Amino acid sequence: MCGRLNVISDPLCDWVSGQLGIKFHSETNRDLRPTQQVATIALDGAALRQVDASWGIKPAWAKRLLINAQAETVRQKRTFAQAFAQHRVLVPCSGWFEWQQAGAVKHKYLFQGREEQPLLMAGILYPQLDGSHALVTLTTKPIASCAPYHHRMPLLVAPQAVDFWFHSQPHELDALLDSPEISLLIQAC
């Protein structure tokens, strides 16, 4: 489901700044949770910029906070369609956590890029009336290495697909709605 992120500012901030050509800053938070502030990358006109957002939305009809949306249906669901069309973002992070139940014990696993390679998760922003932003991250079917741990994983956008992610029409993004088969390091915490 991806309900916790791992954000380690060094090397994440330098990598994002270099890859995307912007000044990116995020505080280290090794257990970033829903409702907390997340540094995202958004398209503002023709330029990328950092936008900080609170993770999760609470529509009037929802009984709980929504933190994720399924990439496969994000274009069709009324709650997400407009944000997906107009406010796509990337969430740079060092990794994410999943838990796996084994009997009465839950085991925590960290998923991260090999050799500390930062990850770019797909998300959508919801501008708020007070000028702040809320964030929903996108999930997809897991790649082979993640499937034994959870039935969903974050939608990851490869660095070479960033321009396509931001500059394409929603119907053109079907090819990106499955995470690329990347090499992840999975370790028990």
Side-chain angles (χ1 to χ4, degrees):
M1 178 167 124
C2 185
R4 300 283 172 81
L5 301 181
N6 179 270
V7 176
I8 302 171
S9 62
D10 182 21
L12 180 66
C13 294
D14 287 341
W15 183 85
V16 172
S17 296
Q19 284 284 317
L20 302 182
I22 66 168
K23 180 66 178 155
F24 180 79
H25 176 74
S26 181
E27 295 293 326
T28 293
N29 186 340
R30 295 178 185 274
D31 191 25
L32 197 150
R33 301 163 182 245
T35 72
Q36 293 182 324
Q37 289 293 302
V38 179
T40 74
I41 304 298
L43 184 64
D44 185 10
L48 297 177
R49 73 176 178 101
Q50 179 173 333
V51 175
D52 295 336
S54 176
W55 190 8
I57 62 170
K58 181 88 167 47
W61 57 264
K63 294 180 181 173
R64 60 182 173 80
L65 192 69
L66 301 178
I67 61 170
N68 296 316
Q70 292 185 355
E72 301 89 338
T73 60
V74 72
R75 285 190 301 145
Q76 291 83 33
K77 300 245 175 154
R78 285 191 304 169
T79 303
F80 308 119
Q82 183 177 3
F84 184 70
Q86 298 176 356
H87 301 291
R88 290 186 297 273
V89 296
L90 293 173
V91 180
C93 66
S94 305
W96 79 93
F97 296 101
E98 295 290 359
W99 286 260
Q100 191 175 56
Q101 191 81 32
V105 179
K106 273 189 168 182
H107 297 281
K108 184 177 180 181
Y109 294 91
L110 172 62
F111 295 74
Q112 59 188 11
R114 291 210 181 266
E115 299 174 12
E116 297 183 2
Q117 175 74 33
L119 303 171
L120 299 171
M121 293 183 180
I124 50 179
L125 279 187
Y126 291 82
Q128 305 297 296
L129 294 176
D130 65 1
S132 66
H133 294 84
L135 167 73
V136 170
T137 55
L138 301 183
T139 65
T140 190
K141 301 176 306 270
I143 59 175
S145 60
C146 295
Y149 299 91
H150 202 279
H151 68 282
R152 303 291 295 170
M153 68 173 279
L155 174 60
L156 301 174
V157 176
Q160 62 270 23
V162 168
D163 283 340
F164 187 69
W165 172 251
F166 283 118
H167 294 98
S168 298
Q169 295 299 313
H171 68 276
E172 298 172 321
L173 292 169
D174 287 347
L176 281 184
L177 297 183
D178 289 319
S179 282
E181 189 66 41
I182 62 169
S183 179
L184 292 172
L185 178 62
I186 303 168
Q187 57 188 21
C189 298

